[in-house]
Amino acid sequence: MRLGFVILIPALVACAHFATNAQVTFTATTSADVFVATGSTNNPAGPDLMGLNYGGAGTLVIAPAASAKGEFQSVLRFDLSGATNLFVQTYGTNWSISQISLELTSNYGQAGVQPNNPIFPVVSGGKFVIEWLASDDWLEGSGNPSVPTTDGLTFSMLPALVSLGHEALCTNTYVPPGVNVHVTWSLPLQSNLVADAGSGGSVSFWFYAADDQVTYLFNSYFYGRGNEPLIHVTAIPQLQILSGALTNGYFHLVGLGGPAISYEVQANSDLATTNWQTLGSATADSAGILQFDDTTASTQTRRFYRLFK
């Protein structure tokens, strides 16, 4: 929430305050996803899987190096061009991202369960990290647990990808929720992530274990069946008070909001109270500009204004 203050004359001070619950959310599944693995002497697929690709698998996996089957990490990419198109169509250029979250679902969501494919470790709760990756220039590949390939990202390639830039977003605690239960992980709005998500291109995430206990399996988009990884990006119009002036006995307020959206104009003489009164409404034009005249302003010694949706 931002505040803008306008000094009119010594006897009259107007404060412009805004709030909004208008929002629009874009949702999409991954455009590419892959798990990579180290292998181990206890893994039936072999002790060294670092040069193999599993981009065509039906699941994504997180497990620590201490896992009996070796370490697993996952990388996901989302195409957000549809998000920026939606936000521009709704708000013009006057919008900002207010929330980003990932929704993950698993066919193996019960603690202690051994997945059907024995190369994966037993499902277990624990902690894992989600990081933002600066580069989206990586190949998903077509390998799967039955027929791994070398045509996409592998564990041995991760250091080079990460070296292009990365930032830890959050450490999360995974508690196996059960089969086909959707779990949403909210991401902090760190500047690199927000800039990337709002650029109209792709955004990539890197998942890895943060302790020695976690084994988290969740469906890839290949498996489908309503359990694909999803990203939710929410935007809101950027309400701003551009100017205010006392002219010919009335207060003329100019603001910026979403195109063709109607906002309430409210006033209060004392911010220590919640006694906001609606003076009227103003609808933004195609450029997002809204204007309102308070014809009773000259009778006030002090008045605070806010735009509200």
Side-chain angles (χ1 to χ4, degrees):
M1 185 176 294
R2 291 175 293 177
L3 298 177
F5 294 87
V6 181
I7 305 297
L8 300 179
I9 56 176
L12 181 61
V13 179
C15 164
H17 165 87
F18 70 89
T20 180
N21 57 11
Q23 62 182 33
V24 62
T25 299
F26 172 83
T27 297
T29 190
T30 49
S31 56
D33 51 39
V34 57
F35 80 78
V36 296
T38 62
S40 80
T41 56
N42 294 316
N43 194 315
D48 185 4
L49 309 180
M50 294 182 65
L52 299 178
N53 169 264
Y54 298 94
T59 192
L60 300 163
V61 190
I62 307 167
S67 166
K69 305 297 179 64
E71 186 171 4
F72 290 80
Q73 300 185 10
S74 292
V75 180
L76 289 72
R77 182 169 65 230
F78 296 89
D79 177 4
L80 296 185
S81 59
T84 52
N85 290 339
L86 173 63
F87 301 154
V88 169
Q89 290 170 5
T90 305
Y91 301 126
T93 59
N94 185 42
W95 54 270
S96 63
I97 292 174
S98 61
Q99 185 176 17
I100 302 176
S101 63
L102 300 176
E103 183 178 337
L104 309 177
T105 312
S106 178
N107 283 8
Y108 298 101
Q110 293 177 312
V113 169
Q114 170 63 56
N116 285 345
N117 197 312
I119 77 166
F120 302 130
V122 171
V123 175
S124 177
K127 297 183 181 298
F128 71 98
V129 175
I130 303 177
E131 291 211 14
W132 166 82
L133 292 174
S135 176
D136 304 308
D137 187 19
W138 52 273
L139 296 177
E140 178 182 61
S142 60
N144 61 61
S146 299
V147 186
T149 62
T150 58
D151 61 352
L153 187 68
T154 66
F155 200 99
S156 61
M157 294 178 180
L158 270 179
L161 176 62
V162 171
S163 71
L164 299 175
H166 64 105
E167 183 176 20
L169 298 175
C170 51
T171 299
N172 307 282
T173 300
Y174 171 62
V175 178
V179 176
N180 298 329
V181 177
H182 295 242
V183 179
T184 299
W185 305 101
S186 296
L187 303 181
L189 295 180
Q190 296 188 9
S191 58
N192 283 328
L193 172 60
V194 171
D196 201 9
S199 67
S202 295
V203 59
S204 293
F205 300 98
W206 173 32
F207 293 69
Y208 58 87
D211 63 19
D212 290 339
Q213 285 76 47
V214 67
T215 295
Y216 187 3
L217 278 72
F218 53 95
N219 288 25
S220 73
Y221 77 90
F222 274 118
Y223 190 77
R225 304 186 185 182
N227 286 345
E228 303 90 343
L230 298 175
I231 190 169
H232 305 289
V233 183
T234 299
I236 58 174
Q238 286 183 312
L239 278 172
Q240 300 178 44
I241 298 297
L242 299 179
S243 65
L246 190 63
T247 305
N248 298 325
Y250 61 85
F251 179 72
H252 183 68
L253 178 71
V254 180
L256 181 64
I261 295 178
S262 180
Y263 299 94
E264 291 184 15
V265 181
Q266 299 181 339
N268 191 343
S269 61
D270 185 357
L271 284 182
T273 73
T274 59
N275 187 32
W276 289 95
Q277 296 181 337
T278 299
L279 303 178
S281 63
T283 300
D285 62 19
S286 60
I289 300 297
L290 58 94
Q291 303 187 55
F292 182 83
D293 290 331
D294 177 10
T295 59
T296 64
S298 61
T299 64
Q300 307 294 314
T301 57
R302 182 177 68 173
R303 174 163 276 184
F304 301 89
Y305 296 87
R306 74 177 183 183
L307 302 177
F308 186 81
K309 179 62 178 179

